[in-house]
Amino acid sequence: MSNAEEHRELLDEVERVLDYQFKDQTLLLAALTHPSAVEGHSLRDSYERLEFLGDSILGAVVADRAFHAFRALRSLRRPRA
């Protein structure tokens, strides 16, 4: 069995367990691939690019929620030095 066939079978199993079919299985494969497994290849082949995107989105959501949850703090002024 080739490496590509093994990946296809594993990804099919992940989709079955999750009960969800991904439109683009290459993103699923990247999300499950540690950077050390693709040394010398593009960052697109590991989860680092997706991790960076996810961290950025999470940071934006937390900042938005905090900004709206603590409206009273926006009017506070910093003491001058």
Side-chain angles (χ1 to χ4, degrees), residues 25-34 43-48 50:
Q25 277 193 336
T26 59
L27 289 175
L28 175 59
L29 180 59
L32 299 172
T33 303
H34 190 272
L43 283 177
R44 283 179 283 144
D45 298 331
S46 75
Y47 61 68
E48 282 189 314
L50 296 171

Side-chain angles (χ1 to χ4, degrees), residues 13-54:
E13 179 68 11
V14 168
E15 289 180 330
R16 188 190 66 72
V17 168
L18 294 176
D19 193 28
Y20 181 84
Q21 188 158 8
F22 290 82
K23 292 177 184 152
D24 185 353
Q25 277 193 336
T26 59
L27 289 175
L28 175 59
L29 180 59
L32 299 172
T33 303
H34 190 272
S36 66
V38 291
E39 258 182 57
H41 293 117
S42 171
L43 283 177
R44 283 179 283 144
D45 298 331
S46 75
Y47 61 68
E48 282 189 314
R49 188 173 62 122
L50 296 171
E51 179 183 22
F52 178 79
L53 176 63

Side-chain angles (χ1 to χ4, degrees), residues 1-12 25 29:
M1 179 180 291
S2 74
N3 204 16
E5 290 171 332
E6 284 183 46
H7 282 152
R8 173 70 58 204
E9 285 185 15
L10 290 171
L11 295 177
D12 289 344
Q25 277 193 336
L29 180 59

